[in-house]
């Protein structure tokens, strides 16, 4: 089939390639003329045969909202828009309503797989009506991994369900990554372990903890032993925050995912942690604490036990 | 080669089968006569040709310590013992010393893979001397998954390193499982998600969070939709506790793994949580708090705002 | 001075008494005729001399929003409204704007102290303009504890700052209560401690952890030894959730406060924890784990080490 | 009564003063001759009338163990030793047995109050036999705060109970301090709050969160506004670690106390967090993630949605 694709960045460009390799036609639009097939969004619409299908793959938030609003203006009844970005699920219903006023369909699709998706296929989580989803199945089938459709694709529910599922996916991803991170750190700290990278690599087959993320971790360590080139400054996309907010809304105890999120926050406090400054200040107030070494043993003067 | 194997329970029996399938000879001992090849530990030793190799696969703690002590008595200089159970790594050096007095070698080997190891191979983490490890490689190669040796086997360091690596592996496993658990719970809580099991299944290919544990989770949900047959009472083997203790010893922040461990503790408080009883009692003391519904909305009488 | 007071529930009635004891006149309105001085909100307005000051002390959310909207209709330019309830701070600016259209002033005031405030005075956190706050100082001085004004009263910032400060106060309260709860639980668990209540009581003077909450905890234990009458089911007002949401918005790692919040969520899962059911199901999948006792020691059959 | 006091550091010297002010005689020993009343531990013993009481106030671990061993050698049957330091409770039974062989009594006494104890009195948690505790009551009464004995003193149980109670006290202290720290950090982060120090000061009277620690926090902020002179590098004495280890031993979920402990660990990672380096490296592997600002908003190029 024919697909319009808005956004030809790292993800969009790879997805275009994969869709084309499956035999579909893609007309791409991107504000950077050197990668774009058409000069403008109206040109994209004009270049497509009705009923059109347009996939939006631009940053979430304002850029996506603007793009959808423009499409609502230029598309026609019977056309269909897919938001494949990492939008917050609360944007989906407004998008569906805006487009629906012009009888344009709407699907939200969470896409996972990163730069590896071109080769491996992307995991897809979709929200929308049965009719709209059915209509897009050729594209979904082109994008998803080979093998059984259900292993890599789900029509999770109505509009919003796709981005919701993707948000939870990313929240889980936070937890998984941090669990491996803690294990890595503990292996590094223990003198008995001569071969940290080898230990992680051994875990990639046969063990309970084997996973694709673990394979990536081994690969990263092989490229940069000891992570000497890597900062511990870790950004976060919105999905981790949204996942914890949703956990709060639904009264779900999310201790693991929130711990992973908060660790990222802490990594960005370049002026130090105000909370820990308060703790330090308190200790000074009540104790004049003796200095202790990193094993918690008091190394203060004789006769001066740690006070508290 | 020839191997003595002590302990023919679920894990030991499977491992015997896998080792035999690789063409090795296994003489097994178990206190249950119906599964044992010999009548006693001394008989096992007598049935093996020197220099002997004996793999111990019994519960960690007292059973393993007793078995190793008996082997120290019955084996001869030049023999070799492997502890393949989930022993605490602090047991390994004492075992090595006890056996070493009689010039008997010692290897600790963490084994992961559960009941699936028979078919898939086991991930192996090994601690010991180069000579001892080299000598056991035929058995290790029989047990580990097919493919590259390093993907499923590591000689992580000296005596103790194998069980240390396995302990950390299990700590990471706690974190991974709980991250998936939180994601599952949040998907269940959200009305937009019509198909929780399908969403998890979609995650098994192409996504960042794909893993063997996730495949097992889908399998479990397919066997028991909604986990209607499953209690949330979750036991813990020692390794999760030991991992957090080691994190404390090495000053490693282990927020994720400890959160997963503590959640298991909480699941076993059949009299309720004393900590939360204290919190409830405090709220009664200062507030006579209005009752609130599960979304945290006050449902008390008009004119009675929640107090605190 | 003269004050109109809307809401004569547990908090409002006590506050009326305290304000009257300071020599001020209070005209109270409550939908329950048996406690109300006037028959309706318009009657309340009519009974007050202009320029009027009306304190709203009703449940947060819809009830407060409705009351403020009604006051915006009935009050006159130059009048002043104080919201003393536990409103979310995001309600304050809309309230200020709504009232401001009629030239009616607005102050948000977080009030802490619970049922003890009548006797001890209430801690007050205020947001609003300097002029409005100055005008209300006689009432604030009546409500706050005796002694230095700054120990119990703060003009924290513009409209919204009072409820924000109160929200953070309640978040901190969650953390403090749970810290004591964990300590209480650990003292209960340790056989060496013969006298848990006595230990906590000893902490109330001289120690670093002494506090008013600790005194309440001792009092609660004296009234109900062992908390035999108390459920661990713990509700939560909105402030704990809002505090964690604000921490997320401001990238503040809130590990302690969120842990306290999530523990309350867990206490309310009367069908058990879905996350832990998933963990249990996973363990069954890969292990057929041997049963372990509550100390984590394997008690399975010989030859069956815990598998993973 | 007469008391021998070993260790005249910050705590010991203050305690000597307070005991003397209550009319008791103190003979002090410290390795620093300029503060010591006698030249050696044997001289201390010689200077006391039998039956002697000797209070040990030296750093926990090796210094305390050495001192107790020396006292076991030099004291006589009927004498009594009190360990008032922050020893781990597992040291107490060995001390009691060592001294008991010579019919010397033993008490473990947790002491809280820091440098303020001289003026306010110290909170005391005692473990030992009834007879030994009764004998020391004059000293305990001199040290504890004025007022009711039970508000500042407890005979918590047999030998070990005093240090156990003190350990839990310090664990709770970690949680309390970090709860205030998180609240402080959030107040600092919110532009609506013009007066953070004033807000905390307002909390010191009337509110639910009022406490001695809060008063110290206000005092610290007044001495050093914004904590500009304070590092967030926070050491930890052993008690926080031991508390979490005991929680693990007793299967007590200690999410709050462990979060406070781990935050201190994180503050000391001057090479950055290895766990977060692993997380960063993973993100690079699968995503080539767009850079995001500290509010989590993607600021990457158009067409490049965050990938995962």
């Amino acid at each position: 089939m024919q697909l319009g694709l808005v956004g030809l960045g790292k993800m969009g460009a790879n997805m275009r390639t994969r869709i084309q390799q499956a035999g579909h036609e893609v007309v791409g639009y991107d504000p950077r003329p050197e990668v774009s097939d058409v000069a403008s969004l109206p040109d994209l619409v004009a270049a497509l045969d009705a009923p059109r299908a347009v996939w939006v793959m631009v940053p979430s938030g304002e850029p996506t909202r603007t793009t959808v609003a423009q499409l609502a203006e230029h598309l026609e009844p019977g056309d269909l828009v897919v938001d494949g970005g990492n939008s917050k699920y609360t944007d989906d219903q407004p998008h569906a309503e805006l487009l629906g006023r012009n009888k344009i369909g709407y699907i939200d699709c969470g896409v996972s797989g990163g730069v590896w998706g071109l080769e491996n296929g992307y995991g897809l989580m979709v929200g929308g009506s049965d009719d709209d989803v059915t209509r897009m199945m050729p594209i979904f089938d082109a994008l998803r991994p080979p093998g059984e459709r259900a292993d890599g694709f789900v029509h999770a529910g109505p509009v919003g369900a796709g981005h919701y599922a993707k948000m939870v996916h990313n929240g889980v991803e936070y937890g998984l990554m941090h669990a491996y991170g803690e294990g890595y750190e503990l292996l590094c700290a223990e003198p008995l372990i001569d071969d940290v990278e080898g230990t992680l690599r051994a875990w990639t087959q046969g063990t309970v903890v084997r996973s694709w993320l673990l394979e990536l971790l081994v690969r990263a360590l092989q490229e940069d032993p000891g992570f000497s080139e890597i900062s511990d400054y870790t950004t976060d996309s919105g999905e981790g925050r949204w996942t914890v907010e949703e956990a709060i809304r639904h009264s779900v105890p999310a201790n693991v995912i929130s711990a992973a999120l908060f660790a990222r926050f802490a990594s960005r406090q370049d002026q130090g942690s105000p909370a820990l400054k308060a703790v330090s200040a308190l200790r000074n107030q009540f104790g004049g604490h003796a200095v202790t070494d990193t094993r918690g043993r008091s190394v203060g003067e004789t006769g001066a036990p740690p006070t508290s």
Side-chain angles (χ1 to χ4, degrees), chain A:
Chain A
M1 63 182 278
Q2 189 194 46
L3 182 74
L5 178 56
V6 181
L8 298 169
K10 208 179 305 184
M11 282 290 279
N14 278 349
M15 290 166 72
R16 173 171 61 175
T17 302
R18 191 167 171 97
I19 294 167
Q20 288 171 332
Q21 286 170 346
H24 302 292
E25 179 194 352
V26 178
V27 183
Y29 167 69
D30 191 281
R32 293 166 299 158
E34 66 274 21
V35 299
S36 187
D37 299 325
V38 292
S40 68
L41 213 52
D43 285 0
L44 176 73
V45 172
L48 298 171
D49 304 322
R52 303 169 189 83
V54 179
W55 188 293
V56 179
M57 205 66 198
V58 304
S60 61
E62 217 39 54
T64 294
R65 283 192 289 265
T66 303
T67 302
V68 170
Q70 290 172 335
L71 288 171
E73 210 174 307
H74 295 290
L75 290 175
E76 298 176 321
D79 291 347
L80 176 59
V81 172
V82 181
D83 175 11
N86 275 335
S87 299
K88 192 165 180 183
Y89 80 100
T90 48
D91 283 352
D92 291 318
Q93 194 53 40
H95 285 167
E97 285 168 17
L98 177 70
L99 294 161
R101 276 179 228 139
N102 297 339
K103 300 202 184 309
I104 305 165
Y106 180 77
I107 288 175
D108 54 291
C109 178
V111 178
S112 180
V115 294
W116 300 82
L118 170 59
E119 186 181 336
N120 298 338
Y122 301 89
L124 304 178
M125 296 140 259
V126 166
S129 73
D130 286 348
D131 283 354
D132 287 344
V133 173
T134 300
R135 187 165 147 200
M136 286 297 294
M137 281 313 303
I139 301 298
F140 294 144
D141 280 332
L143 288 169
R144 71 171 176 81
E148 284 200 60
R149 181 186 277 175
D151 300 341
F153 171 87
V154 67
H155 180 189
V159 164
H163 280 140
Y164 201 94
K166 178 67 185 343
M167 176 196 76
V168 177
H169 166 281
N170 280 34
V172 170
E173 178 191 308
Y174 273 56
L176 302 180
M177 287 166 74
H178 211 77
Y180 286 121
E182 289 182 5
Y184 165 72
E185 182 168 341
L186 190 48
L187 290 173
C188 291
E190 171 55 44
L192 278 175
I193 303 297
D194 289 338
D195 187 356
V196 171
E197 183 260 315
T199 299
L200 295 175
R201 185 172 171 197
W203 289 357
T204 62
Q205 294 296 330
T207 70
V208 171
V209 302
R210 65 190 188 260
S211 73
W212 186 64
L213 275 169
L214 182 60
E215 290 168 29
L216 290 186
L217 184 57
V218 171
R219 184 186 171 99
L221 268 175
Q222 288 170 342
E223 289 173 10
D224 176 14
F227 292 139
S228 57
E229 307 289 320
I230 298 268
S231 158
D232 70 341
Y233 179 102
T234 310
T235 59
D236 71 283
S237 56
E239 290 96 340
R241 299 171 189 246
W242 302 336
T243 303
V244 179
E245 288 167 357
E246 285 297 305
I248 291 171
R249 188 167 72 89
H250 284 308
S251 300
V252 168
N255 298 74
V256 161
I257 295 174
S258 62
L261 177 67
F262 291 148
R264 297 198 187 186
F265 290 172
S267 79
R268 303 214 294 271
Q269 296 178 315
D270 45 15
Q271 306 295 318
S273 158
L276 283 166
K277 288 184 182 182
V279 170
S280 289
L282 276 173
R283 284 167 53 87
N284 290 347
Q285 283 292 323
F286 64 71
H289 268 260
V291 174
T292 60
D293 69 9
T294 55
R295 291 295 168 273
R297 290 179 296 246
S298 174
V299 295
E301 46 170 347
T302 303
T307 57
S308 69

